[in-house]
Amino acid sequence: MRSPLRPLTRRGLLTGTLGSAAMLATAGVLAGCGTKGAKQTEAGCVSEDLSGTEKKLAFSNWPQYMDVDESDESKRPTLDAFVAKSGIQVTYTEDINDNNEFFGKVQNQLAACQGTGRDIVVLTDWMAARMIRLGWIQKLDPAKIPNVAANMLPSLLDRSFDPDNRISIPWQSGLAGLAYNGSVTKEIRTVDELLTRPDLKGKVTALSEMRDTMGLLLQSNGHDPANFTAAQFDDALNKLKKAVDSGQIRKFTGNDYAPDLAKGDIAACVCWSGDVIQLSGENEKIRFVSPDSGVMLFSDNMMVPNKATHKANAEQLINHYYEPAVAAQLAAYVNYICPVKGARAEMEKIDPELAANPLIFPDEAMLSRSKVFMTLDEKQEREYESKFQQVIGA
């Protein structure tokens, strides 16, 4: 098992590769990529599956998102087990460093109904939704992934961009919530405390990821971040703006809030659960808080792009990772929320302490108060992102 404090996190890479301003500029350009000519249809872009004669598979993932053998980092135990069991040779590449950056790598091929050389890609909810909207992802065969139907967490079912779980299957999940350093401040319980409590003024950071920060604020106003109106978004944004204008919020960050929280340079923040697992391993006074109003749930999803020629092989791999024992072995290494029911019991055999960690295996109370941000269309994506960036000063 890897060290609980790692120098680089998968979620950090998500926002760290591009700064907020660059993210906005890129999002503005790419949101327009759904114009006529870029979109595909299932009938218009047919993919041939060669899995019957070619026992191979190309898998693109984020760095540090697969278990490795500490004594020999060229070995990936769960992936090696799949190869041994299936006979399918897997070319595993860690070439996804940022959602928008990866989109830029593959958009020309997918817009033209051409192959990318990849059979599985792993992308975050909102980017998965965009690519599904563009018709660039193949549908999966439920009969070939029975473990998914049997073992996916209920909280990950019926997502708006893929309600039938036919196109995108969660690889790992995480939570956006609050955190505080008990060495420098007392406990916080609510988003409103974070944004208004006088003793925290100037000692607070929030995330530059619009969906996570705004999702929490929508919840704090009693609105559903999975289904909200433009007026409700604006109300939440006004609350955020007041906290910015008053000096309550020091800055907006990617995961670079983590060292500041560890040192006590900031007292509290909007955070990602994976970071807090690492920090709390070094300082137990750093605590993750599930706000009374709820948390945001995000996932990174396995998908088979159009023109991938080994879909059935990919389905075998997806099914493999939804075996509880395999999922537990992976989760013991990456420390994100495991999307597989039954994995917690298997984790108890590996590491009872991790099995008891609510940030890897949240209880039903926490999951029942978690929401996935509403799927946005192209116009909404441009509009909401622009308004948010104006408030955070990017």
Side-chain angles (χ1 to χ4, degrees):
M1 189 188 314
R2 64 197 317 175
S3 164
L5 186 62
R6 303 191 290 275
L8 188 63
T9 68
R10 205 288 317 158
R11 189 66 174 171
L13 282 164
L14 174 62
T15 56
T17 304
L18 296 176
S20 297
M23 287 282 281
L24 173 61
T26 307
V29 172
L30 296 181
C33 289
T35 55
K36 186 176 181 180
K39 291 184 178 180
Q40 295 292 342
T41 65
E42 189 174 5
C45 185
V46 178
S47 303
E48 182 182 7
D49 191 355
L50 303 177
S51 297
T53 56
E54 296 183 357
K55 293 297 182 182
K56 61 182 181 179
L57 171 67
F59 184 178
S60 284
N61 206 348
W62 300 80
Q64 301 195 17
Y65 222 16
M66 177 68 74
D67 55 307
V68 300
D69 187 329
E70 293 294 333
S71 62
D72 182 354
E73 294 196 357
S74 68
K75 295 181 179 178
R76 302 181 176 96
T78 60
L79 195 58
D80 294 344
F82 170 75
V83 172
K85 178 176 69 173
S86 67
I88 296 168
Q89 297 302 309
V90 179
T91 301
Y92 184 77
T93 309
E94 295 179 339
D95 63 343
I96 303 178
N97 291 307
D98 175 272
N99 284 287
N100 275 324
E101 180 186 70
F102 185 76
F103 186 97
K105 287 181 183 180
V106 300
Q107 63 174 319
N108 290 339
Q109 295 101 307
L110 292 174
C113 187
Q114 297 172 355
T116 66
R118 300 168 175 89
D119 298 300
I120 295 181
V121 299
V122 178
L123 296 170
T124 306
D125 290 326
W126 60 272
M127 181 56 75
R130 178 190 290 175
M131 295 182 79
I132 291 169
R133 185 176 72 219
L134 289 167
W136 291 356
I137 307 298
Q138 296 187 49
K139 288 183 179 178
L140 303 172
D141 182 352
K144 294 182 179 178
I145 49 173
N147 287 340
V148 173
N151 298 328
M152 185 184 290
L153 288 179
S155 58
L156 294 170
L157 300 173
D158 301 321
R159 296 178 298 166
S160 58
F161 58 87
D162 184 18
D164 298 322
N165 300 304
R166 288 288 309 277
I167 310 177
S168 61
I169 306 300
W171 170 253
Q172 297 289 284
S173 297
L175 299 172
L178 309 180
Y180 69 95
N181 186 332
S183 300
V184 296
T185 191
K186 62 183 182 181
E187 181 184 27
I188 60 171
R189 290 301 319 164
T190 69
V191 172
D192 287 349
E193 277 187 84
L194 185 80
L195 298 184
T196 62
R197 216 169 75 188
D199 63 300
L200 295 176
K201 186 171 183 177
K203 302 176 183 178
V204 168
T205 62
L207 293 171
S208 55
E209 171 57 55
M210 182 268 288
R211 289 161 176 82
D212 292 330
T213 292
M214 290 304 298
L216 291 171
L217 266 76
L218 281 160
Q219 287 175 312
S220 74
N221 278 352
H223 301 310
D224 183 355
N227 184 20
F228 59 87
T229 66
Q232 290 169 347
F233 181 91
D234 288 344
D235 284 345
L237 192 65
N238 286 335
K239 177 187 280 191
L240 184 66
K241 187 174 187 303
K242 288 178 182 177
V244 172
D245 293 345
S246 70
Q248 183 80 4
I249 297 177
R250 181 187 297 181
K251 61 182 178 179
F252 291 81
T253 72
N255 82 321
D256 47 325
Y257 67 84
D260 289 340
L261 182 64
K263 291 183 292 186
D265 289 347
I266 61 170
C269 59
V270 179
C271 71
W272 289 306
S273 57
D275 293 332
V276 178
I277 290 176
Q278 298 172 50
L279 295 176
S280 61
E282 297 291 312
N283 179 358
E284 63 181 13
K285 291 188 176 181
I286 295 176
R287 301 288 179 85
F288 180 85
V289 176
S290 173
D292 294 345
S293 51
V295 291
M296 295 303 297
L297 178 67
F298 65 85
S299 296
D300 297 315
N301 305 277
M302 297 178 280
M303 301 188 296
V304 177
N306 284 352
K307 290 298 181 178
T309 53
H310 305 102
K311 183 170 80 79
N313 293 343
E315 289 165 336
Q316 283 193 55
L317 184 139
I318 292 168
N319 200 55
H320 170 73
Y321 276 99
Y322 268 71
E323 293 178 9
V326 175
Q329 191 174 355
L330 177 65
Y333 188 84
V334 301
N335 289 179
Y336 278 86
I337 291 177
C338 180
V340 179
K341 290 186 299 185
R344 182 173 185 172
E346 295 293 334
M347 179 72 87
E348 288 174 352
K349 304 173 186 176
I350 302 171
D351 188 326
E353 185 177 347
L354 285 180
N357 192 320
L359 300 186
I360 299 175
F361 296 102
D363 60 24
E364 289 302 317
M366 182 181 289
L367 287 175
S368 69
R369 294 185 296 109
S370 67
K371 293 288 186 177
V372 175
F373 198 85
M374 183 173 78
T375 301
L376 305 178
D377 61 28
E378 294 165 17
K379 180 180 178 182
Q380 289 171 323
E381 192 170 349
R382 286 194 300 269
E383 179 182 345
Y384 291 148
E385 191 70 52
S386 177
K387 287 181 177 182
F388 178 71
Q389 297 293 336
Q390 289 174 16
V391 167
I392 73 174

